[in-house]
Amino acid sequence: MDLVPALQEPLKKVLGPATAKVMAEHLGLHTVGDLLHHYPRRYEERGQLTHLADLPMDEHVTVVAQVADARLHTFASSKAPRGKGQRLEVTITDGSGRLQLVFFGNGVHKPHKELLPGTRAMFAGKVSVFNRRLQLAHPAYELLRGDTEGEETVESWAGALIPLYPATAKLESWKLAKAIQTVLPSAQEAVDPLPGSLREGRGLVSLPEALLKIHRPHTKADIEDARARLKWDEAFVLQTALARRRHAETQLPAVPRKPGPDGLLTAFDDRLPFTLTDGQQKVSREIFDDLATDHPMHRLLQGEVGSGKTLVALRAMLAVVDSGGQAVMLAPTEVLAQQHHRSVVEMMGELAEGGMLGGAEHATKVVLLTGSMGAAARRHALLDLATGEAGIVIGTHALIEDKVQFHDLGLVVVDEQHRFGVEQRDALRGKGKQPPHLLVMTATPIPRTVAMTVFGDLETSVLDQLPAGRSPIASHVVPAADKPHFLARAWERVREEVSNGHQAYVVCPRIGDEDDDPKKGAKQSKQPPEGDADKRPPLAVLDVAESLAKGPLQGLKVEVLHGRMQPDDKDAVMRRFAAGETDVLVATTVIEVGVNVPNATAMVIMDADRFGVSQLHQLRGRVGRGSAPGLCLLVSEMPEASAARQRLNAVASTRDGFELSRIDLEQRREGDVLGQAQSGARTSLRVLAVIEDEEIIAEARQEAAAVVAADPELTGLPGLRTALEALLDEEREQYLEKG
């Protein structure tokens, strides 16, 4: 998409080493092609100026405005004791507001000569406040007309639209624009990645024309044409990469895994105390059809919190064991691996006691393997894996180590994909004699387009029904600062739940031990700072637990759980809580995924505004797992009008995870949409918006699948091949692999 051979010229040859260095370090631009694909963020019309009234504080801005007046003041200072210090104050206006510019010392001479009243220019700098007025100190500027140089400048901003680029303090927008003017002639040599038939069929302009129009538009229609074309480039190249992955996977051999007619799966189904929901049956059929083929299954199983994903995954694992293979389930944390192991053994009963006295006829062994196991237990588990004695293995990343050998690995189930790197996924896959089937589970609902973009190499199944017997969860926002008595009432509600024989969670954003630097905690908080509540560090588990035990929850059994505890201690705490010995568990988000205690009915989330929308939804899913209704209280000190409170109101108002994930994405910047997938890489989506451009992504996926089916090596489409190579440089390889 970016680099086409003619455009691979390094910028330092074209623009000189100093400019090239700034572009590489601050914007990640290295070649002429990179720079041509650095598109304007927006455009200013000559007659229409940026609203000075709407300037954001502390941000680097570019404004187009007219000088209203300019005054030179002299003053005494330590450097100029005889009143020889100089300060130039320039007021600029755009009709919507006024802004003060200040220049000091030797820096006043040039602007004093050039910034005369009536002069129009572009100004760039960081907005700050001085004497309660907005100002730019020592802004960089570029005159827009007047002297001969200015005339040239106006010429170089061809047409009435001035492109404003994503810039940095080191490189103003117009310097980028000038650099782009220098390399723009190379756009003629851009090799088009789109097949001609597709381009003509959709009435899209050619790539050279699109690049020209996005950087030097004469009309708004030019910008629309260019964006429509460049969106297709991004969607199509990305979907082609994913389609090729899917195609390559279908070429791999795999052992078909079909359950026997009266085997382990049948025995398991017979002992289930309930019937599967329609959704569970439908998704199970999709999975069993995939498992029966002779190429590896690649399926993403999306399920609302509590929709019974684990049961569906377990049935798939049993089907594989039935056919003589082994199945492994990977969990992101030890707490979760232990939890899965416990619940699988409970669900299977005597079917999990293979080779033991009292084990059922079709039984197999279910083995747990984690990093913190003792040497003897570990040796034993490894032996069961290597001999095939253990049909089902549940563990953490420890399963990927070289020492771990399987007898015949048939299925890998990955829980919570977004916490799991693809190198790990591949390492595990390499443990099978042939590539095993793969099932990825997530409880984070992903809108369809994001699934197509981020998980585009996986087929998707969705579980959206809740099993019978799951109780409703009531969610409320508790405005702790505005209404402190609401918080007092929240703790009373917790006491009421406990007195009715139930238990409660209290979740905090931070641990609070001495390694836990509050400054760092504040930095890591998921949401942008808004208002005063953010000036204090986020609330910490250890502090909150102590103040609750001495105060509003005095007399109740309160325990803590967090990620820095020893694995055995964590397990002991979870066990006591699951057994009902602890009334209230004060924890970090370690309980976010997979923890299942049906007797826990209440959850209080402290500083709820510090968590993301989908994270809050995940946490809330830990209550209401039994027959009693659940209660989730979102405590926040944010003011009512803040965006953070609106987010919390959205979470409180709906239980639909897909609806929430859309809200979440609409509130975040586009670059974050693929956040986990990007592994920090610069987003490769520049003009494509995952939520808005749903149709383009869906159509591009179909087109790409057709192109790849007809010509998997893309021999007839050299431009597309080149664009793919550029997309799949190492950095973006990780992006596609969804680390």
Side-chain angles (χ1 to χ4, degrees), residues 145-281:
R145 62 158 178 256
D147 55 352
T148 49
E149 237 183 292
E151 289 301 328
E152 277 170 35
T153 307
V154 173
E155 273 312 296
S156 69
W157 306 107
L161 293 160
I162 301 170
L164 293 183
Y165 290 89
T168 73
K170 295 269 193 302
L171 203 61
E172 292 86 17
S173 171
W174 57 84
K175 288 191 181 157
L176 275 161
K178 282 185 167 167
I180 286 167
Q181 293 297 342
T182 308
V183 301
L184 206 48
S186 310
Q188 293 306 329
E189 298 174 54
V191 180
D192 205 318
L194 294 188
S197 56
L198 187 158
R199 205 173 63 233
E200 284 147 30
R202 296 188 178 273
L204 299 169
V205 301
S206 71
L207 181 56
E209 190 181 337
L211 290 172
L212 212 59
K213 282 183 166 175
I214 201 146
H215 292 299
R216 290 188 71 162
H218 289 275
T219 62
K220 287 185 175 170
D222 283 352
I223 300 170
E224 287 311 303
D225 286 351
R227 288 177 69 85
R229 161 61 213 244
L230 295 166
K231 279 181 180 194
W232 256 94
D233 272 21
E234 289 182 2
F236 182 73
V237 174
L238 180 57
Q239 291 300 335
T240 302
L242 292 165
R244 287 186 76 188
R245 272 185 73 104
R246 286 197 301 276
H247 183 268
E249 302 288 7
T250 61
Q251 305 307 301
L252 291 172
V255 180
R257 307 283 178 175
K258 295 181 181 152
D262 291 313
L264 184 55
L265 180 63
T266 313
F268 175 75
D269 285 348
D270 289 346
R271 52 167 301 174
L272 279 178
F274 49 82
T275 52
L276 299 178
T277 64
D278 295 347
Q280 285 174 319
Q281 289 178 349

Side-chain angles (χ1 to χ4, degrees), residues 4-170:
V4 251
L7 307 186
Q8 281 180 341
E9 189 80 28
L11 286 173
K12 57 173 175 279
K13 281 194 178 165
V14 189
L15 302 173
T19 309
K21 184 169 186 246
V22 176
M23 286 191 177
E25 283 176 9
H26 293 274
L27 296 168
L29 308 174
H30 303 278
T31 64
V32 168
D34 286 344
L35 184 53
L36 286 174
H37 284 286
H38 186 72
Y39 308 133
R41 177 179 284 152
R42 58 194 172 85
Y43 300 84
E44 280 299 354
E45 290 183 63
R46 277 204 189 289
Q48 212 189 359
L49 303 168
T50 317
H51 281 298
L52 292 181
D54 305 336
L55 289 181
M57 277 296 296
D58 279 344
E59 276 195 31
H60 200 81
V61 298
T62 303
V63 295
V64 178
Q66 191 158 5
V67 176
D69 70 33
R71 295 177 188 190
L72 191 61
H73 302 273
T74 52
F75 60 93
S77 71
S78 56
K79 287 184 181 160
R82 287 200 292 280
K84 289 285 195 296
Q86 291 191 311
R87 180 175 78 244
L88 177 66
E89 289 179 3
V90 178
T91 306
I92 58 172
T93 177
D94 68 347
S96 77
R98 296 165 86 80
L99 181 66
Q100 181 133 32
L101 317 177
V102 289
F103 301 87
F104 293 103
N106 295 335
V108 304
H109 304 307
K110 186 166 176 273
H112 190 218
K113 279 211 305 271
E114 294 181 340
L115 297 179
L116 305 170
T119 307
R120 295 180 37 145
M122 289 202 285
F123 302 92
K126 198 171 184 184
V127 184
S128 57
V129 169
F130 181 70
N131 276 346
R132 296 214 295 255
R133 285 167 66 191
L134 291 183
Q135 72 165 25
L136 295 180
H138 278 288
Y141 63 89
E142 178 85 345
L143 300 179
L144 281 179
R145 62 158 178 256
D147 55 352
T148 49
E149 237 183 292
E151 289 301 328
E152 277 170 35
T153 307
V154 173
E155 273 312 296
S156 69
W157 306 107
L161 293 160
I162 301 170
L164 293 183
Y165 290 89
T168 73
K170 295 269 193 302

